[in-house]
Amino acid sequence: MLRRSPIELLTRQARHRDWARRRDAVQGLAALSVAEAMVPLLAALKDVHPAVRSAAAVALRGHDHPRTVAVLAAALDDDDASVRAAAATSLGHMSDATATRVLVVALGDPSGEVRLCAADSLTRLGHSDWREIVHGDAGDVSRLGASGRREAEEAILRALRPPEPEARRSAALALARLGGPKAATALRGLLRDPFAEVRRAAAEGLVGSGDRLAVGPLTLLLGDSAPNVRAQAAAALGSIGGEGVAQAVARAVADRSPEVRAAAVGALGSLGDRRAVALLARALGDEPAIAAAAAHSLGLLGGDAAVEHLAKALDAPDAGVRAAAASALGDLGDPRAGAALAAALEDEPEVRRAAQGALAKLSGPGVVSAVSGVLGASSAEARQAAAAVIGELKNQSAVPLL
C-alpha cells in the first residue's frame, strides 16, 4: 500500500466537511513551506467558512507570487473582516507593485482593524507615511481627505460602500476635500442616497466644485423632504452657477423653512444676477437671519436699486439687519449712502461699528460733510466714531472740524 505524502494528506483534509479540520489542514500546509501547497491554499481562500479563509490568507504570505497577490487582493472584498485583515497583512509580504495599490484602497475599509493591517503592511513595503494618517478610528476617512494625497481617493471611494450612512457621510466630506473628477462623480451619485445626511454632505461637497453636471441633481434637491438638504443644495447651486440656476434658486426664497430661505438669498448674491434685486429687497422684511443674508447679497449685486434698498434697511427694527445693511453699503462704496451711514453712527454699538467701517470705504465731499454733522451729536460714542471716520478718510478739508 502506497503511503500518501504529507501534502496529499493535508490537501485531502482541507476538503473535510468539518471546518475546524479544514482550518487545521490549511495551517499544516502553511507549515510545509513548499510551492506545491499553493494550489490547495488558493482553493481554501474560497472556503465557505471565514476561519478557513482567514487561515488561508495568513498561509499565503509565504508564497510571493503575482497569482497570490491577485487572490489576496480579491480577498480584500471578503464579507468577513477577519479575512480582509489577514489578506491585508499577507499582502505586506508581497513584492509585486500591485500589492501597494490595493493596500492603499484597503485604507478605506469599514473595519478599523483592516485599515490598520493595511497601513502596517504599507509600512513594511516602505510607505510608512500612511500609518501617520490611519489610526484605525472614526477619523481615518477624514484624515485621508485632509491629506491632500491623490492616492487616497480610491480609499475614500472604498469607504462609500458600507451600509452605515455615517460612513458614507464622512467619505463624502473627505472626497470634497480632495476634489477632482472622480470625487465629483461620486458626490453626484450620493445626491440620490436614501439618507438625508448623506445627501446633505454630498451637496456640501459640491460647493465650489464648478461641476456643471451637478446642477440638474442639485436643482432636484431643492424639492427634497429635508430642509437642511434643500438649504445645502441652494448653497451649492450658488457656488456653481450656470444657466437657469438663479431662477431655480429664486423659487427657494419662498420655501417654508427659514434655513432654506437664508441659503437661497445668500446664493442669489453669489450668482450675480441683478434681476434678483427686487426679490432680495422683499427678503429684507423676513426674519433677521434671512434679512441679514439678503443685505449681504444686495451688497454683492450692487446697482442703484440695491443701494436704495440697503439705505432703507438702515431703519430695520433688528440691529443685526441694520449692521448687515451698513456693511453691504460699505462694500458697494457708493458715496450716495454717506448720509444714511453717517446717521447710523448714532445707532447701537453693533450698527455703529459697521457704519464706521463702511464710511471709511467711501469718498467725496458729501461723505465728509455728512459725517461732520455727527461731531456735534449728544452721544460721545457717536462723536468718537465720526472723528475716527474723518481721520481715516484723510480729507484735509475736514481737519479744522476735528
Side-chain angles (χ1 to χ4, degrees), residues 294-392:
H296 177 70
S297 287
L298 284 167
L300 292 175
L301 294 181
D304 293 346
V307 172
E308 180 182 344
H309 292 303
L310 287 168
K312 290 179 180 178
L314 290 174
D315 292 324
D318 183 81
V321 175
R322 299 197 299 275
S327 295
L329 285 167
D331 291 338
L332 290 175
D334 194 317
R336 290 175 297 176
L341 286 169
L345 291 175
E346 300 185 64
D347 206 323
E348 297 179 29
E350 177 186 4
V351 184
R352 182 165 55 249
R353 286 192 296 271
Q356 182 178 337
L359 284 163
K361 298 177 182 178
L362 307 186
S363 60
V367 176
V368 175
S369 176
V371 175
S372 299
V374 186
L375 291 173
S378 58
S379 164
E381 291 82 0
R383 295 195 302 271
Q384 290 171 0
V389 170
I390 291 174
E392 290 176 25

Side-chain angles (χ1 to χ4, degrees), residues 5-278:
S5 67
I7 193 165
E8 290 175 314
L9 290 171
L10 289 169
T11 299
R12 184 174 181 180
Q13 188 81 341
R15 295 192 293 268
H16 197 278
R17 64 187 179 191
D18 180 65
W19 71 265
R21 298 278 290 274
R22 298 197 303 274
R23 180 203 58 202
D24 293 344
V26 166
Q27 292 171 342
L29 286 166
L32 291 177
S33 299
V34 294
E36 291 87 342
M38 184 173 169
V39 173
L41 288 175
L42 292 174
L45 203 53
K46 298 178 181 179
D47 196 276
V48 295
H49 200 283
V52 180
R53 299 197 301 275
S54 181
V58 171
L60 283 167
R61 73 182 57 175
H63 299 269
D64 187 359
H65 189 277
R67 187 180 176 189
T68 310
V69 173
V71 295
L72 287 172
L76 290 175
D77 286 325
D78 196 280
D79 292 336
D80 190 90
S82 67
V83 178
R84 301 197 302 274
T89 299
S90 290
L91 282 164
H93 295 266
M94 304 293 132
S95 58
D96 194 301
T98 304
T100 297
R101 181 180 59 79
V102 297
L103 282 168
V104 170
V105 176
L107 296 175
D109 193 277
S111 164
E113 179 190 2
V114 177
R115 296 195 299 273
L116 280 177
C117 289
D120 288 341
S121 284
L122 285 167
T123 297
R124 191 177 295 113
L125 293 172
H127 308 282
S128 59
D129 47 344
W130 288 110
R131 193 61 181 81
E132 299 172 8
I133 298 170
V134 175
H135 304 165
D137 58 22
D140 283 348
V141 174
S142 179
R143 286 189 293 272
L144 284 168
S147 72
R149 298 182 61 166
R150 182 53 52 194
E151 314 98 285
E153 186 174 58
E154 293 298 332
I156 299 171
L157 290 171
R158 169 70 178 86
L160 292 174
R161 299 185 204 170
E164 297 83 7
E166 178 58 28
R168 296 198 301 281
R169 187 192 73 83
S170 297
L173 295 176
L175 280 172
R177 293 190 188 95
L178 280 182
K182 282 188 177 181
T185 299
L187 289 169
R188 288 198 304 271
L190 290 174
L191 295 175
R192 299 187 299 273
D193 196 275
F195 291 90
E197 278 305 308
V198 178
R199 297 195 299 276
R200 189 206 61 76
E204 181 182 348
L206 287 164
V207 170
S209 68
D211 182 16
R212 294 298 177 89
L213 293 176
V215 168
L218 285 168
T219 301
L220 290 176
L221 282 190
L222 291 175
D224 196 272
S225 59
N228 64 345
V229 176
R230 299 198 300 275
Q232 195 59 67
L237 285 166
S239 74
I240 296 173
E243 186 176 354
V245 170
Q247 292 89 323
V249 173
R251 290 191 289 273
V253 176
D255 196 279
R256 61 186 179 275
S257 165
E259 180 185 5
V260 179
R261 297 200 301 276
V265 298
L268 286 172
S270 301
L271 289 168
D273 190 334
R274 285 189 175 176
R275 289 176 295 178
V277 166

